[in-house]
Amino acid sequence: MHHPKPATETTEGCAVHRHADDRDHQRMLARAFALIAGFMLVEVVGAWIGNSLTLAADAGHMFLDASALGLAWFAIRLSRRSPDDRLTYGYHRFQVLAAFVNALALFGLCAWILIEAVGRLRAPEAIAPLPVLAVAVVGLFVNLVAYRMLHRSDNLNVQGAALHVLGDLLGSVAAIVSALTVLWFGWRYADPILALVVVAILVRGAWRVLRDAARILLEAAPQGVDINAVRDALTQVTGVLDIHHLHVWALTGDRPMLTLHARIAEDADEQSAVSRLKAVLRTSFGIDHSTIEVERGDCPDEAQTVTPIDPTLDR
């Protein structure tokens, strides 16, 4: 038998855990933003001293990444606001919008890198290898620290920001290899070739974030949730005769939502049936926010005819 009090405590515990996760994500993004934005200025100076298009381009990458990190930080901070009369679910979905925008920006960045790489293959340019090498090595260390902060998170928005940092990390490696190649062999084609490899890696990651964000914005069933398995499990609940009008979607990547109609037996207790249904959703599918409409007999939404309301009755 399911007892309401433990269920309430479990739900409240989940809410506290999520707020703690949000604070952790916010701190990670703030630290990564400080690292990336600060070193971006160093790369601008290094690009000017070394006359390096590679570092100048990577500084542009870091500017875009700093913007993405700042946007992701702002999205998580905004999502912690309480719901209001206009946004009854709160601001959580802003995180998904930010991830979607970041993924699109990453595609734009990949296109720009591709164009630059093709141009350099046609007409390679000379660089001053020693300043480029020094700045790129420091940049590699900075990006490793920032990426380590972000890449283990399961938050969609933080994952999108980590992909931006990954692009900078790979860009730093490409700049190091390019500088060493020019320094040792005088061969200028290494940088555009490595840039094409970076594009291939980033496009794959950007597509994954874009796809996941689009699924949430389109209110598709969350990944890992089999709607038929949900329906089958709920119909096994004592007193439940039928489950219909079942809809599962996600507010964010870690906040699944559900609505359904449950037809129960005439002698079944409505409150007990709802409690048991919610317990199954929580324990078996990780869905702790559900709206259940209980029915006895035919579903009103599926009635063939609707009796019109006489407007004179209100007079």
Side-chain angles (χ1 to χ4, degrees):
M1 172 69 73
H2 175 71
H3 300 286
K5 185 174 180 180
T8 302
E9 292 174 351
T10 301
T11 302
E12 291 174 352
C14 290
V16 172
H17 178 70
R18 283 171 177 166
H19 285 306
D21 284 346
D22 284 347
R23 285 192 293 269
D24 290 340
H25 295 150
Q26 191 174 336
R27 283 193 292 267
M28 284 190 296
L29 290 168
R31 292 168 184 167
F33 172 80
L35 282 173
I36 297 299
F39 189 74
M40 177 193 69
L41 300 177
V42 176
E43 280 205 320
V44 170
V45 175
W48 178 71
I49 294 175
N51 192 30
S52 170
L53 181 60
T54 302
L55 280 185
D58 199 42
H61 301 171
M62 296 195 87
F63 175 78
L64 180 62
D65 294 348
S67 300
L69 289 166
L71 179 61
W73 173 86
F74 180 69
I76 291 181
R77 184 176 180 84
L78 189 63
S79 71
R80 292 170 62 185
R81 291 186 179 181
S82 300
D84 54 36
D85 293 339
R86 292 177 58 250
L87 298 173
T88 56
Y89 277 119
Y91 293 78
H92 300 289
R93 187 60 67 83
F94 192 87
Q95 296 183 44
V96 183
L97 286 174
F100 188 82
V101 171
N102 285 348
L104 290 177
L106 199 55
F107 272 114
L109 175 62
C110 290
W112 184 79
I113 296 174
L114 179 62
I115 293 171
E116 288 294 317
V118 171
R120 291 181 188 181
L121 286 172
R122 293 176 178 176
E125 299 184 14
I127 64 172
L130 289 179
V132 173
L133 180 62
V135 174
V137 168
V138 177
L140 178 64
F141 174 76
V142 168
N143 286 306
L144 280 171
V145 172
Y147 184 69
R148 183 177 178 83
M149 290 180 185
L150 302 173
H151 85 285
R152 293 182 179 178
S153 173
D154 59 355
N155 181 276
L156 182 61
N157 212 35
V158 178
Q159 289 176 357
L163 285 172
H164 282 275
V165 176
L166 177 61
D168 276 328
L169 193 154
L170 297 176
S172 296
V173 172
I176 291 172
V177 174
S178 175
L180 290 175
T181 303
V182 172
L183 183 64
W184 292 342
F185 307 108
W187 194 57
R188 303 176 184 177
Y189 290 97
D191 180 63
I193 291 174
L194 288 172
L196 294 175
V197 175
V198 172
V199 167
I201 295 173
L202 291 182
V203 165
R204 180 182 178 186
W207 169 249
R208 183 174 65 249
V209 173
L210 187 69
R211 178 198 61 198
D212 292 346
R215 284 180 60 89
I216 294 174
L217 292 175
L218 293 173
E219 298 191 344
Q223 287 186 326
V225 176
D226 184 343
I227 195 167
N228 291 319
V230 173
R231 181 182 291 106
D232 291 343
L234 295 180
T235 53
Q236 301 302 314
V237 172
T238 303
V240 175
L241 302 178
D242 178 55
I243 298 293
H244 53 281
H245 289 313
L246 174 61
H247 303 282
V248 186
W249 73 99
L251 191 60
T252 64
D254 57 354
R255 287 176 170 84
M257 318 285 283
L258 177 145
T259 63
L260 62 83
H261 291 195
R263 184 164 63 89
I264 65 174
E266 292 293 338
D267 58 347
D269 180 73
E270 180 175 324
Q271 186 61 37
S272 297
V274 171
S275 297
R276 287 192 291 266
L277 289 169
K278 286 182 174 286
V280 171
L281 290 172
R282 251 190 325 271
T283 58
S284 300
F285 302 99
I287 301 173
D288 57 15
H289 187 106
S290 57
T291 302
I292 299 175
E293 179 176 328
V294 176
E295 301 164 350
R296 300 180 193 270
D298 295 335
C299 175
D301 290 345
E302 297 177 352
Q304 296 298 320
T305 60
V306 178
T307 304
I309 299 176
D310 187 350
T312 61
L313 294 178
D314 295 331
R315 297 177 182 176

